[in-house]
Amino acid sequence: MTSLPAGLESSPWAPLRRPVFAWLWIGVLISGMGTWMQTLGAQWLLVDVPNAAAVVALVQAANTLPIMLLAMPAGVLGDSFDRRWLLFVVQVYFLVVGVALLALTLAGLMPPVLLLVFTFLLGVGGAVQLPAWQASTPELVPRHQIRAAARLEMVGINLSRAAGPAVAGLIIASAGVPTVFALNALSVLPLAVALLFWRRTPTVTAVTRERFSPALRAGGRYVWHDTSVRRILVRLSVFIVPAAAMWALLPLVASRRLGVGAGGYGVLFAALGVGAIVGALVLGRVNRFLSTNATLSVAGVALAAALALLVLVPNVVVAAGVLVLAGVSWTATISGLVADLQLFLPRWVMARGMAIWTMVFTGCQALGALAWGVVAEQAGLTATFVAAAVLELGAVGVGLVWPVADAGETDPDPVVYWSEARVSLDPDPATGPVQVTVTYTIAPEKEQAWLAAMRHLRRSRLRTGATRWELYRDADRRDRFVEQFTVSTWEEHLRQHEGRLTAADRTVEQTALGFSDPPATADHLIPP
C-alpha cells in the first residue's frame, strides 16, 4: 500500500489556525445546532395532533426534500455568484423566516400544515447553503489541509446533530418551544458576522455570468464525463446504502435488542459522534501510511464488522464501543471522499459538483433507510444487519475493482492556454450549435498511441462544454484525421477558451497534438 503524496495531509486542527476558516466553521456549527433544535421543536409541537406519527415524520421529510429538489440549482447559484454574499443572503433569509415562525407561534397561529411549510422553507435555505459552503472550503485552506478541513466539517455535523436536540430538549422542558424557535433564528448571526469579515478573492474570471439552464447542463455534463468524479460518487453510493441501515434502525436496536429507553438511545447516538471526533484526530496520521483507497477499504471492512456486531453484542456499553468504531469508519469514508472531490473539481464547477454529491448522499441515505426498514419488517433486525454487513463488504470489493484516482498531483485551477478563436466575424453569443474541427496528420506507426491519447481528449472536450464528439479518417489520405466536437452556443465555446480548461486538460491536449506532423489545424463552423 502506498502513502499519499507528500503535502496532502496536515495536523487535524491545522485548518482551525486559519482565522477565517475557524470563525466560519464555528458559525456553521452553531447554525447547524439551531437547525436541529428547530427540527426537534417542530416535532414536539406536533406530538399531540391527529395522526401524530405520520405528521412528525413529515417534519424530517420537509427538511430534506428541498435538498433533493434544489441542490443542483443551488450549485449553479454557488458557481455563478460570489459565494460569500450568497451565503450571507441565505443567513438573512434564515433570520427572516425564523422570526416569522417565532412570531406566528407566539400568536398561536401555527397549525400543523403551516409549521410544515415553514420547515420546508428553512430546508430551502439549507439546500442553497450547503453546496456553496462545501465549495468554499478549498478557498479557505491550502490544498494540503483540505482533508483535515473535511474531517473537521464531519466533526461539526456530528456535534450539531448531537448537541442540538439535547439542548432543545432541555429548553423545551424549561421555557417552551417558542424559545427554541427564537434561538434557531439567532443561531445564524455568528455565521453572518463571520462572512462579513471574510475577504474573499473571486476564483472564476469569466467575462459574463453563465445563464441558468446552460450552467445546469454544464455541471451535470462535467460530472458525467469525468471518470475520477464518477468513481468517487460510485464509492459514496455503494458505501451509503448498506450504512443507512445503522442510521435508520438504531432506535429499534436500542429498544428491541438492547432493551434501553431514550437515554440509552442517546448514549448510542452520542457514541457515533465520539467516533467522528476520534476519526478526525487519528485519520491524518493513518493517511500518512495508507493510500486513499486503502483507507476506504479498511473503513468499509470496519463498518461491515460494526453492522454485524451491533445486533450480536449483549449490552449497551459494548454496543456503544461498536458504534465508536462505526463513527470512525463513517468519518474516514465520507470525509475522504468529499476531500477527494474538492481536490478534483475545477473551480468553475465546484458548487455544482458538490451539489450532485449532496443529492447522491441524501438520496442514498433516504432510499437505503426505506429499503432496510422494509427488510427489517420482513426478516428481522439480525438478518437485516447481517445482510447490510455483507453488502458493505461488497462495496469494498467494488472499490478494489474501480479504485478512486490519486488526487495528489491534480491542479483544478483554470489555465487559459487556447489562443483566441480564429474567426473573421463576431458571432452572437447565442449562435449555435458551433462545430469545431481539428485536422491531424498522423504517421501510421504512431496511430495506435495517438488513438489512445484521443480517448482522453474526448473526455476533456465533453466535460468542458462539448455535447458531441466524433473522430473521422480521411478516406483519400490514410494519415489524415479530423476531430469534430459540437458546442451548444458560441458563448459556451468561449467559456472553454476563458476558464474551463485546467492544467490536466492542457497536458491531455498537448499529448494528442504532439503526434501530428505537420501541426494540427482548427476551424470553427457556425450556422449561417
Side-chain angles (χ1 to χ4, degrees):
M1 288 179 281
T2 58
S3 61
L4 279 171
L8 269 190
E9 275 306 325
S10 177
S11 161
W13 308 115
L16 293 177
R17 299 190 189 107
R18 299 184 171 271
V20 174
F21 177 86
W23 287 113
L24 290 174
W25 182 83
I26 292 170
V28 171
L29 171 64
I30 294 172
S31 177
M33 288 179 59
T35 298
W36 282 102
M37 291 170 65
Q38 187 275 333
T39 300
L40 188 71
Q43 291 175 327
W44 191 259
L45 276 185
L46 298 172
V47 293
D48 293 324
V49 302
N51 303 312
V55 177
V56 167
L58 285 175
V59 172
Q60 195 63 44
N63 257 328
T64 56
L65 184 60
I67 295 177
M68 295 298 299
L69 297 176
L70 300 175
M72 193 59 184
V76 173
L77 296 178
D79 283 327
S80 301
F81 294 91
D82 187 304
R83 289 174 194 144
R84 173 199 178 207
W85 287 110
L86 178 62
L87 289 168
F88 182 80
V89 169
V90 171
Q91 305 319 303
V92 174
Y93 169 85
F94 277 139
L95 182 61
V96 171
V97 175
V99 169
L101 172 63
L102 171 63
L104 291 172
T105 302
L106 288 172
L109 301 174
M110 189 52 64
V113 172
L114 186 58
L115 181 57
L116 291 174
V117 169
F118 269 93
T119 302
F120 182 87
L121 292 175
L122 290 169
V124 168
V128 176
Q129 174 173 291
L130 192 55
W133 166 245
Q134 291 176 320
S136 298
T137 301
E139 301 177 40
L140 298 170
V141 299
R143 187 173 174 80
H144 68 276
Q145 292 182 4
I146 285 180
R147 296 193 191 282
R151 290 192 290 269
L152 284 172
E153 289 174 15
M154 289 293 298
V155 169
I157 290 170
N158 282 279
L159 284 176
S160 63
R161 181 184 287 173
V167 172
L170 294 174
I171 293 173
I172 290 172
S174 60
V177 172
T179 304
V180 168
F181 289 167
L183 290 175
N184 174 52
L186 294 174
S187 70
V188 304
L189 295 180
L191 180 55
V193 172
L195 287 166
L196 289 176
F197 284 95
W198 176 20
R199 295 293 178 257
R200 178 178 182 263
T201 301
T203 57
V204 178
T205 56
V207 176
T208 58
R209 181 175 291 122
E210 289 188 72
R211 290 176 293 121
F212 183 81
S213 294
L216 198 66
R217 292 192 295 270
R221 187 166 54 239
Y222 184 93
V223 169
W224 179 256
H225 289 292
D226 189 278
T227 305
S228 299
V229 172
R230 270 212 321 269
R231 288 193 176 192
I232 289 171
L233 295 177
V234 168
R235 289 295 295 271
L236 174 68
S237 303
V238 297
F239 175 84
I240 289 289
V241 170
M246 176 179 64
W247 296 100
L249 301 177
L250 187 58
L252 297 182
V253 173
S255 60
R256 297 181 185 179
R257 297 288 305 179
L258 300 174
V260 298
Y265 172 62
V267 170
L268 295 177
F269 199 87
L272 284 168
V274 170
I277 297 172
V278 171
L281 292 173
V282 304
L283 286 171
R285 295 183 181 276
V286 169
N287 289 148
R288 294 175 186 174
F289 305 99
L290 297 180
S291 68
T292 298
N293 286 289
T295 302
L296 292 174
S297 296
V298 171
V301 171
L303 187 64
L307 286 168
L309 289 172
L310 195 57
V311 288
L312 300 176
V313 296
N315 58 62
V316 69
V317 175
V318 180
V322 170
L323 287 170
V324 169
L325 174 64
V328 173
S329 303
W330 178 269
T331 297
T333 302
I334 303 303
S335 67
L337 290 174
V338 77
D340 269 8
L341 189 59
Q342 290 168 337
L343 289 166
F344 273 116
L345 285 171
R347 301 294 178 253
W348 68 270
V349 75
M350 178 69 74
R352 279 166 282 184
M354 298 312 302
I356 292 174
W357 159 280
T358 300
M359 292 172 64
V360 172
F361 182 92
T362 307
C364 287
Q365 271 203 304
L367 293 175
L370 177 63
W372 291 119
V374 173
V375 172
E377 283 294 324
Q378 301 298 320
L381 282 176
T382 301
T384 298
F385 273 80
V386 170
V390 171
L391 198 59
E392 194 66 64
L393 290 176
V396 174
V398 170
L400 297 177
V401 176
W402 291 300
V404 173
D406 182 6
E409 302 302 322
T410 60
D411 183 1
D413 291 332
V415 177
V416 180
Y417 63 90
W418 280 6
S419 59
E420 189 173 345
R422 184 167 52 86
V423 293
S424 59
L425 46 83
D426 187 15
D428 184 274
T431 297
V434 176
Q435 187 155 309
V436 182
T437 66
V438 185
T439 303
Y440 303 81
T441 304
I442 306 298
E445 65 272 14
K446 298 180 179 180
E447 183 179 314
Q448 291 305 312
W450 175 75
L451 288 174
M454 292 301 287
R455 286 193 286 271
H456 294 288
L457 184 58
R458 171 185 176 272
R459 286 195 290 270
S460 173
R461 306 289 200 216
L462 290 170
R463 68 176 174 248
T464 58
T467 58
R468 185 174 180 177
W469 185 93
E470 295 165 314
L471 183 63
Y472 297 95
R473 185 198 297 272
D474 190 326
D476 190 43
R477 288 184 52 185
R478 177 180 175 82
D479 63 346
R480 187 170 181 265
F481 296 82
V482 178
E483 174 198 10
Q484 295 183 347
F485 63 92
T486 303
V487 186
S488 57
T489 63
W490 183 250
E491 177 186 11
E492 191 81 354
H493 180 54
L494 288 180
R495 294 190 185 282
Q496 291 178 300
H497 280 265
E498 294 167 356
R500 285 191 177 176
L501 301 171
T502 66
D505 294 306
R506 178 172 58 187
T507 299
V508 167
E509 186 167 353
Q510 288 178 343
T511 300
L513 292 173
F515 286 92
S516 184
D517 185 20
T521 59
D523 294 288
H524 297 81
L525 307 177
I526 62 175

